[in-house]
Structures are given as structure tokens and as C-alpha cells.
Amino acid sequence: MTKLARFYQMKLNEGKITEKRPYMASECDDLKKAEFWRRELIGEISKKISQIQNPGLGEFRIRDLNDEINKLLRIKYHWENRIIELGGPNYKRYGPRMINAEGITVPGGNGYKYFGAAKDLPGVRELFEVEPPPPPRKTRAELMKKVDADYYGYRDDDDGVLMPLEKNFVSYVPDIPSQQEVEQKILQAKKMELLRQYASDQMIQQAEESRRILGYSS
């Protein structure tokens, strides 16, 4: 590199921090450097969010990119805490929110976000499908609106089907003796029992003959 090129590069790097970002944010004691490395992280995250929008990358690459973005977001969070400790502004409260808005979080997922094409990966799309709400329960007043003559069976004869069935059913039912006829048969049975106990066979035969003549059956 010529002297002119080195001089030009030196001018470009004036005011810039060329050292490597510390692994732990707590290792930095300079507010200016902490803010620089936070901006650097935002640039890395934005670049990967742009890349993950392409569904043609393939499932494995998309999953890796999504993991990398979440890892960088956690690192950015630590640097923002460190900036507060060094007396700097609270970027978590009023910093750029576009990055967080790009990702969606699964309920119960401990803050893990899905970006771009990762939202449509197999097994991920189902996590965001909202189950349809159960149908609202009807009030008593709404249920009573459907209670009419049909509900109580008052219109069962309107189609003309039930009446012939009822008539046929009645025609098959045998004659049922009245209560008086039943009592009379019981009385006759008791009389015959007494005759069998105290009368001779001839008297019983005569009594049965008389009953047949009068029209009684045993």
C-alpha cells in the first residue's frame, strides 16, 4: 500500500473504533465504545433479517439464520444494559423498534422470535394458527324462542300419518273386561271353591250345570 493509500485509509478510520468487540459487555468501560458496538450489532441483525426473507435459502439455512438473529438480539440486550450502567441512554425504552417488530414470538417460547421465511417453516406455522373461538352459549331466552307447538308434539297429526297408525293399534287391542265383570268372576270362583270343600261331587256337578245354563263360564 502506498503512503497516499495509507493516509487515505487513516482518514477514513478517524473517529472509528477498530478494535474487536469484547465477548462480554461487562468488559467494556467506555460509553462511546459501548454505543458503537451496539450500532454494529444492529447492522448485523438488519443484514441477517434481510437475508432470511428469501424462502429459497432452504429450511436448514433459514433455521440457522433465525437462531443467529435471536443470539444477536440477546447480545444487543446485554450491551444496552451495559450502556445504562455506564450512564448512557436507555435504548430498550425508545430505541429502534423495527427489528423487534419484524419477529413474532410464540406464547411460552421464552422470547424466541421467528423472522421472515422462518415463520412459514414446517412445524412453525402451526404454532401461530389461532384456534377458532367456541360458539357462544345461547341464553335461556334464545332457547325458549325455539319452543313452539312442534316441540310439544301438538302438530304431530298435521301430516295425516299418526291417526291411521293409532286406529290400527286400537283395533289390535283385545276387549278388556270392566271392573264389575272382574268382581263377578272373582265371586263365582270363590263360590266354586267353597262348593269343592263342603259339597258332594253331585252337588258340584249340578252347580256347574246351572252356571252353564245361565251362561256363566268358569
Side-chain angles (χ1 to χ4, degrees):
M1 181 180 292
T2 64
K3 291 183 178 180
L4 180 61
R6 286 197 297 269
F7 176 79
Y8 180 72
Q9 186 66 37
M10 184 181 65
K11 287 293 183 180
L12 288 176
N13 292 333
E14 282 185 1
K16 290 185 178 182
I17 299 172
T18 56
E19 61 186 284
K20 187 178 179 181
R21 183 175 68 234
Y23 182 75
M24 300 290 292
S26 57
E27 297 175 2
C28 177
D29 295 322
D30 190 317
L31 176 60
K32 183 178 179 181
K33 290 182 179 180
E35 290 185 323
F36 170 79
W37 283 318
R38 174 185 173 273
R39 290 193 300 272
E40 185 181 71
L41 282 165
I42 291 176
E44 294 177 18
I45 294 170
S46 300
K47 182 179 179 179
K48 291 183 182 296
I49 290 178
S50 297
Q51 293 174 354
I52 204 173
Q53 304 300 322
N54 181 10
L57 294 174
E59 178 180 347
F60 296 106
R61 179 55 184 155
I62 291 173
R63 289 188 186 276
D64 289 342
L65 269 175
N66 202 75
D67 289 340
E68 292 170 10
I69 293 171
N70 277 273
K71 181 180 179 180
L72 289 172
L73 285 173
R74 289 193 297 270
I75 296 174
K76 182 176 77 73
Y77 177 80
H78 291 310
W79 279 100
E80 288 173 346
N81 285 339
R82 185 57 179 161
I83 289 172
I84 295 173
E85 293 171 357
L86 295 174
N90 186 355
Y91 289 108
K92 293 187 294 183
R93 180 179 299 174
Y94 54 84
R97 300 179 181 178
M98 183 180 66
I99 292 176
N100 290 330
E102 285 286 336
I104 52 178
T105 305
V106 179
N110 296 324
Y112 189 89
K113 293 178 178 292
Y114 291 91
F115 296 84
K119 301 174 187 177
D120 295 322
L121 289 174
V124 177
R125 188 188 308 108
E126 292 78 9
L127 297 175
F128 301 104
E129 291 180 353
V130 180
E131 296 184 1
R137 296 184 61 181
K138 294 184 178 180
T139 63
R140 185 180 181 86
E142 291 174 335
L143 292 174
M144 291 303 295
K145 289 180 180 178
K146 296 187 177 181
V147 177
D148 52 14
D150 291 329
Y151 179 83
Y152 290 105
Y154 292 147
R155 296 178 181 171
D156 290 348
D157 299 337
D158 291 353
D159 56 4
V161 175
L162 187 59
M163 286 298 292
L165 294 176
E166 290 179 343
K167 290 179 180 179
N168 292 334
F169 175 77
V170 172
S171 64
Y172 290 123
V173 176
D175 293 336
I176 300 175
S178 64
Q179 184 175 359
Q180 184 178 0
E181 291 174 339
V182 172
E183 292 175 352
Q184 189 174 7
K185 286 182 177 294
I186 293 173
L187 181 59
Q188 292 297 330
K190 288 182 178 180
K191 287 180 179 181
M192 291 300 299
E193 185 64 27
L194 290 173
L195 284 172
R196 290 190 180 94
Q197 291 179 3
Y198 301 106
S200 63
D201 293 340
Q202 184 178 3
M203 292 178 63
I204 294 173
Q205 186 176 4
Q206 290 176 354
E208 290 180 351
E209 185 67 26
S210 299
R211 293 180 70 254
R212 282 195 295 271
I213 294 172
L214 294 175
Y216 297 110
S217 58
S218 57

